[in-house]
């Protein structure tokens, strides 16, 4: 327009023209500009909105912003072009036939364009699992991308004559190969107080298990060998965790792959883990003594005052910031020394 506050036209990317309108405020501040476009372009750029806002703030003028927009659009189209290639009729007839053979009861979700399919399966332990298939236009000549919630990589073997049934059968075989791992993790999740992660995914191989008041053990389980001794890292005050370290080292030879992971941990550490049936999480999961919160950006308090009469837990980040601000604290290489914010020891 004459005022120079409205620009309307086309931006070209990947050989396609996209209609766009840019409206500037009366002060011509680019950061407050409004972009209007078709729903199709909006959909393509949906995942890049935060980058667009950032570019509006940082670009010196509208011309440089349009160059950035064009580059961004090229990238977005490359990432989504597969979804917009028109599929031949054989693609749909082949896919529907595969789904008929597989059975619609195994289908959890199908998108409207028949480009993404989610299948459900149950392993022999009664656990429900999902596999998401993203199909490209060359299916079945090329295999779909498979997304699963596994602790190990899931790679399928594929021939052009294969179908969804073959992928599903490979998925079932993979589920059974991980049965022992999930059995071990389910026992830990069901019989102990797991502090982290709060809602573990099937792919999660680590658990932080409560042992007592502000004392816990972090275990990292090998999904291929779940009945072998996992990596153990104790968290808590030195006077509480040192005896546990000694017991683990002294009893390591007692580890028996024939019994469950949880029972082995109990035998080696000579302890009973706090039971979910008897105790509440609040009995041993205390808030940080500095920020008064339990969870801080995904982390829980893992530093504990070594004085047995105090034993107050803190977040690593909170304690580090606190000690850095104290004139009395000192640092030696990567260790910082200072007084406890609670008891001054």
């Amino acid at each position: 327009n004459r005022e120079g506050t409205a620009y309307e036209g086309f931006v070209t990317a990947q050989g396609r023209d996209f209609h766009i309108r840019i409206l500037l405020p009366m002060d011509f501040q680019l950061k407050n500009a409004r972009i209007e476009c078709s729903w199709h372009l909006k959909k393509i750029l949906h995942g890049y909105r935060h980058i667009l806002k950032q570019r509006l703030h940082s670009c010196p003028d509208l011309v440089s912003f349009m160059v950035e927009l064009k580059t961004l659009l090229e990238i977005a189209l490359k990432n989504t072009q597969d979804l917009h290639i028109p599929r031949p009729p054989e693609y749909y007839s082949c896919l529907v036939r595969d789904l008929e053979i597989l059975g619609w009861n195994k289908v959890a979700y199908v998108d409207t364009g028949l480009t993404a399919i989610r299948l459900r399966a149950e392993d022999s332990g009664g656990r429900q699992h999902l596999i998401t298939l993203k199909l490209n236009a060359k299916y079945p000549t090329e295999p779909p991308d498979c997304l699963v919630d596994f602790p190990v990589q899931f790679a399928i073997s594929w021939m052009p004559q294969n179908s969804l049934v073959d992928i599903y059968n490979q998925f079932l075989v993979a589920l059974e190969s991980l049965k022992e791992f999930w059995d071990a993790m389910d026992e830990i999740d069901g019989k102990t107080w797991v502090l982290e992660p709060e809602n573990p995914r099937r792919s999660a191989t680590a658990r932080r298990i409560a042992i007592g008041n502000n004392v816990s053990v972090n275990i990292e389980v090998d999904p291929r060998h779940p009945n072998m001794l996992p990596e153990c890292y104790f968290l808590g005050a030195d006077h509480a965790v040192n005896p546990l370290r000694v017991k683990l080292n002294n009893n390591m030879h007692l580890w028996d792959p024939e019994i469950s992971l949880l029972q082995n941990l109990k035998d080696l550490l000579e302890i009973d883990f706090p039971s979910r049936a008897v105790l509440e999480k609040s009995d041993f999961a205390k808030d940080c003594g500095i920020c008064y919160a339990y969870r801080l950006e995904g982390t829980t308090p893992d530093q504990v005052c070594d004085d047995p009469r105090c034993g107050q837990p803190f977040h690593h980040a909170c304690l580090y910031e606190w000690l850095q601000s104290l004139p009395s604290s000192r640092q030696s290489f990567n260790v910082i020394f200072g007084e406890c914010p609670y008891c001054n020891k």
Side-chain angles (χ1 to χ4, degrees):
N1 65 1
R2 283 181 183 175
E3 294 78 32
T5 56
Y7 295 82
E8 189 172 352
F10 295 88
V11 60
T12 306
Q14 299 269 316
R16 292 161 68 186
D17 293 336
F18 295 94
H19 183 227
I20 192 164
R21 184 189 292 124
I22 296 177
L23 304 172
L24 294 175
M26 295 310 288
D27 59 2
F28 298 101
Q29 287 288 312
L30 194 60
K31 63 181 180 184
N32 297 322
R34 205 164 94 232
I35 301 169
E36 294 179 353
C37 58
S38 66
W39 68 268
H40 186 55
L41 181 56
K42 191 177 177 181
K43 192 177 173 187
I44 293 167
L45 291 172
H46 180 72
Y48 301 85
R49 284 168 69 171
H50 64 290
I51 302 175
L52 277 175
K53 279 185 182 174
Q54 193 186 346
R55 295 291 187 270
L56 276 172
H57 276 261
S58 59
C59 285
D61 53 48
L62 192 56
V63 176
S64 54
F65 171 72
M66 288 307 293
V67 174
E68 295 273 8
L69 176 65
K70 188 178 163 73
T71 309
L72 202 61
L73 188 52
E74 292 275 357
I75 295 164
L77 281 168
K78 273 180 189 168
N79 291 339
T80 57
Q81 64 181 354
D82 226 23
L83 306 176
H84 300 293
I85 295 172
R87 266 82 163 143
E90 301 81 52
Y91 167 88
Y92 297 104
S93 57
C94 176
L95 188 56
V96 171
R97 188 193 67 232
D98 283 0
L99 289 170
E100 291 278 348
I101 296 166
L102 184 65
W104 289 98
N105 60 320
K106 295 183 177 73
V107 179
Y109 166 81
V110 180
D111 74 338
T112 50
L114 284 178
T115 57
I117 296 164
R118 198 169 294 131
L119 304 174
R120 65 166 75 91
E122 192 176 282
D123 64 22
S124 56
R127 289 173 286 259
Q128 293 288 328
H129 301 270
L130 294 169
I131 178 169
T132 302
L133 310 174
K134 293 191 181 293
L135 300 101
N136 65 32
K138 292 178 182 170
Y139 175 85
T141 311
E142 290 183 8
D145 291 331
C146 302
L147 307 171
V148 290
D149 190 14
F150 280 6
V152 294
Q153 197 175 1
F154 175 63
I156 59 163
S157 57
W158 183 264
M159 304 282 282
Q161 64 267 30
N162 284 147
S163 69
L164 294 186
V165 178
D166 297 294
I167 293 178
Y168 192 77
N169 289 335
Q170 290 178 52
F171 181 53
L172 291 177
V173 170
L175 289 181
E176 288 315 301
S177 72
L178 290 162
K179 181 186 180 297
E180 280 190 1
F181 168 73
W182 285 321
D183 284 346
M185 296 317 237
D186 282 356
E187 186 184 17
I188 287 168
D189 292 339
K191 293 184 179 176
T192 69
W193 271 113
V194 173
L195 302 177
E196 290 181 278
E198 275 194 326
N199 299 303
R201 294 171 62 88
R202 288 282 172 215
S203 54
T205 55
R207 295 290 189 275
R208 184 176 158 207
I209 310 167
I211 294 174
N213 205 355
N214 302 319
V215 184
S216 57
V217 62
N218 203 77
I219 62 165
E220 182 72 45
V221 182
D222 181 348
R224 292 288 185 209
H225 308 284
N227 289 335
M228 301 309 287
L229 177 64
E231 283 183 46
C232 297
Y233 174 66
F234 294 98
L235 295 149
D238 285 347
H239 69 268
V241 301
N242 283 340
L244 292 167
R245 285 196 193 104
V246 171
K247 282 177 186 172
L248 182 67
N249 290 330
N250 291 347
N251 296 335
M252 220 175 264
H253 64 283
L254 299 173
W255 189 273
D256 181 0
E258 298 302 312
I259 61 174
S260 78
L261 174 67
L262 182 61
Q263 192 55 52
N264 267 313
L265 286 172
K266 286 180 182 178
D267 294 347
L268 263 65
L269 300 174
E270 297 171 18
I271 57 164
D272 258 331
F273 289 100
S275 162
R276 295 179 75 93
V278 181
L279 294 165
E280 291 296 317
K281 196 171 183 177
S282 55
D283 292 334
F284 38 74
K286 281 191 181 172
D287 294 341
C288 169
I290 295 170
C291 72
Y292 300 111
Y294 180 65
R295 196 161 285 280
L296 175 74
E297 292 177 357
T299 64
T300 56
D302 59 357
Q303 304 293 312
V304 181
C305 176
D306 280 331
D307 192 307
R309 289 168 299 179
C310 175
Q312 176 63 42
F314 307 96
H315 291 117
H316 191 285
C318 295
L319 192 60
Y320 180 68
E321 205 173 312
W322 173 277
L323 292 174
Q324 268 199 319
S325 68
L326 290 182
S328 58
S329 66
R330 61 188 177 82
Q331 190 155 351
S332 172
F333 298 104
N334 64 338
V335 181
I336 192 163
F337 300 87
E339 294 168 355
C340 169
Y342 243 64
C343 67
N344 296 328
K345 288 287 171 72

